[in-house]
Amino acid sequence: MQSQTRSWIVLLLLVVTTPCTLRGAEATISTDQQKREYLKSILYSPQAVEDWLAGDVLWGEAFHPILGWTHNERTIHHGVDGSFVSYHYDADGARRVMAYADGPCRIHTYGDSFTSCEQVNDGETWQEYLAAHLQEPIRNFGIGGYSVYQSYRRMLLQEAETPAQYIVFNIYSDDHYRNLTGWRNIRHGSTPTNRNEVSSPPLPYVKVNPATKQFIEVQTPCPTPESARRLSDLDWVFDQFKDDFTLKVVIAQSNIRAGTPALSYAEIGPLAAEHGWTNPVDSLESLKEAVDAIFTNAGLYASMRIVEKVEAYAAEHHKNVLYVLSYGNKVFRNAQRSGSRFDQPFVDFMNAKQLSYVDLMQAHAQDFAERSIDVDQYVKRYWIGHYRPSGNFFAAMAMKDKLVDMLNPKPLSYNPSGKVTFESPWEGGAEKAGRWPAVTLCCGRRQVIWLASSGAKRPSVDPRETDITAIMATPLPVGKNTESKIPRTPRCWLTGAVERLPFCGSETSLPHYRSHRRRFNVHEDSVRV
């Protein structure tokens, strides 16, 4: 934001210091002059470009001939509570996998910095929280600053090399706008004085017009080192980007802030009309309204078409996709205060297509409604710019159910195999499970069968405060070889003060049944699932 402000100052100074005489909607200074001066202010130095091509970049935006950039390993002082954050990457380009790293991976994730999880360490991402919960690895192919289109393009490249059956495709609130420009720095506004390196490089993008249904995919303007070196050449940069849709928007926004909207009437009026805007553009307010509308509509429309391409790819390659809608704290705050959201047309599109997605705006809104704090206090719990570790954990738990529903077979945490430990019935387990195992407990010389079904009722006594008691809805024989005598759907509980159970020494090698943090010895062949 600071770099954007400084670039806007350049434009404001241009407007103030350049003699101009306004006559209606005309001025002696042209928007082309404004564009050229603005592009001059954000040019990279030749040395910065050479460093970028050599991989010597502070913020980790390493040159890529197709995607524009990928990440380098780095350590940055921008973590929670003033901590340093380290970023490491595996050989395939994914952020370092920590949980179950040696296991086969069937889940890949794509998106921008809310997928790569900037401002937290490798083990604090939402992918790692999910992996630890599901007991299987999840690979993180998110890249900071990416658009929806870049994430789609990275998915195509990565899945061709190391395919996965399941895709989590994360779309952050700002990614819609990033689809529309061939050079991210046009919107970001970094200058050599505030960041003397190649920051926010060129990228592949799309040209769209919702009114005419135009959707054109465009490769990055700088696919080679030779073309990248032209980013220090003002004439080349101006010719390349003077008609960039986002540059027109940026110049108009600068004129709005400077109080000189007439400088943009001649360009934005026809552009807005081409995009289906029917109102006149002849005042500061009408200019602002038109610019906001066409920029947002174009960005959302672009994302809709890109999602359709993701779906087509997934269908062709037999993959399953879960979409995630992520938001920054400012967007969330604005939505809570205004009662509306800027991306409602995109949400409507997702619903109309019946796509599986997790809406983190809605998840946070529900969580916020349950707390007695104001929205400013709320966002501090989860965001520090990007998500705090607590925010990533929140996101992971919000995604969990829909991700588990999509996976087949279910992850180990939801489809255990081998020796299994079950929740005790007095903790509510039987009310949550569809079926329970028969467990034979050896207590002294007695063998007691405990069998629960989803229809069983809770015991009427607290097993932690009573002696061993069999509370049965129907009589249940107890003794040797009783399994054959048990009805197919009995309803009974074994209850008892677990700390007073005498264990058989001969069964110490058998698997354990955990109840109230105590271990019971269980006959292995009596556990049925």
Side-chain angles (χ1 to χ4, degrees):
M1 186 67 180
Q2 185 179 19
S3 59
Q4 282 183 308
T5 302
R6 290 172 178 172
S7 296
W8 293 339
I9 290 174
V10 172
L11 284 172
L12 293 176
L13 289 173
L14 176 67
V15 171
V16 172
T17 58
T18 303
C20 60
T21 304
L22 299 181
R23 193 187 328 160
E26 298 179 354
T28 58
I29 182 174
S30 69
T31 52
D32 275 356
Q33 288 176 284
Q34 286 188 293
K35 291 176 185 177
R36 188 176 181 87
E37 288 300 318
Y38 178 68
L39 292 172
K40 180 180 179 181
S41 74
I42 63 172
L43 281 182
Y44 304 133
S45 70
Q47 186 58 53
V49 174
E50 293 302 325
D51 291 342
W52 178 47
L53 294 174
D56 183 12
V57 285
L58 176 64
W59 295 94
E61 296 173 328
F63 172 79
H64 192 282
I66 297 174
L67 302 174
W69 67 90
T70 55
H71 276 162
N72 274 356
E73 296 198 349
R74 61 207 185 277
T75 298
I76 303 178
H77 190 197
H78 65 174
V80 64
D81 298 328
S83 62
F84 289 82
V85 176
S86 295
Y87 301 83
H88 306 92
Y89 298 90
D90 292 335
D92 60 0
R95 191 161 184 185
R96 179 180 292 173
V97 175
M98 307 291 286
Y100 303 93
D102 295 333
C105 182
R106 57 176 174 164
I107 307 171
H108 287 174
T109 65
Y110 297 93
D112 73 344
S113 56
F114 272 75
T115 302
S116 69
C117 298
E118 303 295 298
Q119 296 186 261
V120 301
N121 289 296
D122 298 336
E124 299 172 316
T125 68
W126 55 259
Q127 290 90 340
E128 289 301 314
Y129 289 133
L130 271 174
H133 177 70
L134 301 180
Q135 302 184 68
E136 61 179 270
I138 299 177
R139 302 195 78 74
N140 178 353
F141 291 106
I143 298 290
Y146 266 22
S147 65
V148 184
Y149 184 64
Q150 276 177 295
S151 299
Y152 161 70
R153 293 293 299 272
R154 181 164 203 201
M155 180 191 73
L156 297 183
L157 292 177
Q158 192 62 48
E159 294 303 309
E161 295 181 5
T162 56
Q165 183 179 351
Y166 300 98
I167 303 296
V168 178
F169 197 92
N170 190 8
I171 300 174
Y172 172 62
S173 49
D174 195 60
D175 295 353
H176 307 289
Y177 301 102
R178 299 173 188 175
N179 292 323
L180 306 175
T181 184
W183 186 14
R184 185 174 179 241
N185 202 32
I186 286 176
R187 188 157 169 258
H188 195 266
S190 294
T191 69
T193 58
N194 63 55
R195 189 176 287 186
N196 190 22
E197 62 173 349
V198 173
S199 175
S200 302
L203 65 156
Y205 66 107
V206 294
K207 293 180 179 180
V208 302
N209 186 331
T212 62
K213 309 302 181 186
Q214 179 192 55
F215 180 86
I216 301 173
E217 299 178 68
V218 185
Q219 304 302 317
T220 174
C222 299
T224 64
E226 292 73 22
S227 58
R229 291 186 176 97
R230 295 174 179 171
L231 293 170
S232 300
D233 181 341
L234 178 58
D235 290 334
W236 182 87
V237 167
F238 178 73
D239 289 340
Q240 179 68 40
F241 296 106
K242 63 182 179 181
D243 294 323
D244 185 272
F245 179 85
T246 299
L247 179 59
K248 295 176 182 180
V249 169
V250 166
I251 296 299
Q253 290 172 337
S254 175
N255 287 327
I256 290 169
R257 286 188 296 274
T260 56
L263 294 176
S264 289
Y265 292 162
E267 181 159 69
I268 297 301
L271 179 65
E274 291 173 8
H275 280 247
W277 187 254
T278 58
N279 296 331
V281 179
D282 55 7
S283 67
L284 187 149
E285 191 58 37
S286 64
L287 176 65
K288 182 179 185 305
E289 189 177 2
V291 167
D292 290 347
I294 64 172
F295 198 25
T296 297
N297 291 342
L300 296 178
Y301 177 78
S303 293
M304 294 176 196
R305 301 289 78 81
I306 296 164
V307 165
E308 289 177 344
K309 295 183 73 66
V310 172
E311 285 295 297
Y313 172 82
E316 180 182 354
H317 294 84
H318 309 290
K319 296 178 184 290
N320 303 84
V321 183
L322 174 65
Y323 298 92
V324 177
L325 308 185
S326 299
Y327 300 86
N329 67 80
K330 291 182 179 179
V331 174
F332 175 75
R333 268 195 303 235
N334 290 340
Q336 294 307 299
R337 288 168 174 165
S338 68
S340 62
R341 52 192 299 173
F342 82 98
D343 63 342
Q344 189 61 54
F346 186 75
V347 175
D348 295 340
F349 162 83
M350 299 291 285
N351 290 331
K353 292 287 185 179
Q354 297 183 331
L355 301 177
S356 179
Y357 72 96
V358 175
D359 185 353
L360 291 179
M361 174 75 80
Q362 184 179 45
H364 276 298
Q366 292 172 347
D367 183 54
F368 174 56
E370 296 172 359
R371 302 181 184 275
S372 300
I373 55 177
D374 64 34
V375 69
D376 291 325
Q377 292 173 310
Y378 178 82
V379 298
K380 291 178 181 178
R381 298 175 64 92
Y382 297 115
W383 285 273
I384 50 172
H386 294 86
Y387 272 142
R388 307 165 67 96
S390 57
N392 284 321
F393 182 80
F394 178 93
M397 293 301 100
M399 300 177 202
K400 169 180 61 68
D401 291 345
K402 288 195 174 181
L403 181 58
V404 170
D405 287 345
M406 184 173 71
L407 298 176
N408 183 30
K410 298 304 178 190
L412 191 59
S413 295
Y414 295 85
N415 184 29
S417 60
K419 299 176 181 179
V420 182
T421 296
F422 287 86
E423 185 181 6
S424 58
W426 46 84
E427 289 172 328
E431 295 180 357
K432 304 172 187 176
R435 51 185 177 173
W436 276 76
V439 180
T440 303
L441 299 180
C442 182
C443 306
R445 294 185 177 180
R446 296 188 61 193
Q447 180 176 261
V448 183
I449 300 295
W450 174 69
L451 186 66
S453 72
S454 61
K457 298 180 179 179
R458 285 178 176 270
S460 58
V461 295
D462 188 340
R464 294 165 290 184
E465 299 176 356
T466 62
D467 292 328
I468 299 173
T469 307
I471 301 175
M472 306 176 186
T474 57
L476 181 67
V478 177
K480 187 177 181 180
N481 298 323
T482 56
E483 273 193 82
S484 62
K485 303 175 185 178
I486 299 176
R488 293 189 64 184
T489 56
R491 292 177 295 134
C492 64
W493 301 102
L494 171 70
T495 65
V498 296
E499 64 273 14
R500 291 197 279 267
L501 281 175
F503 296 138
C504 295
S506 62
E507 300 192 5
T508 56
S509 62
L510 296 176
H512 293 103
Y513 171 72
R514 187 176 178 90
S515 175
H516 292 294
R517 301 173 179 83
R518 301 282 183 170
R519 292 192 179 274
F520 289 60
N521 290 323
V522 181
H523 288 292
E524 185 173 7
D525 60 0
S526 68
V527 178
R528 303 191 194 349
V529 181

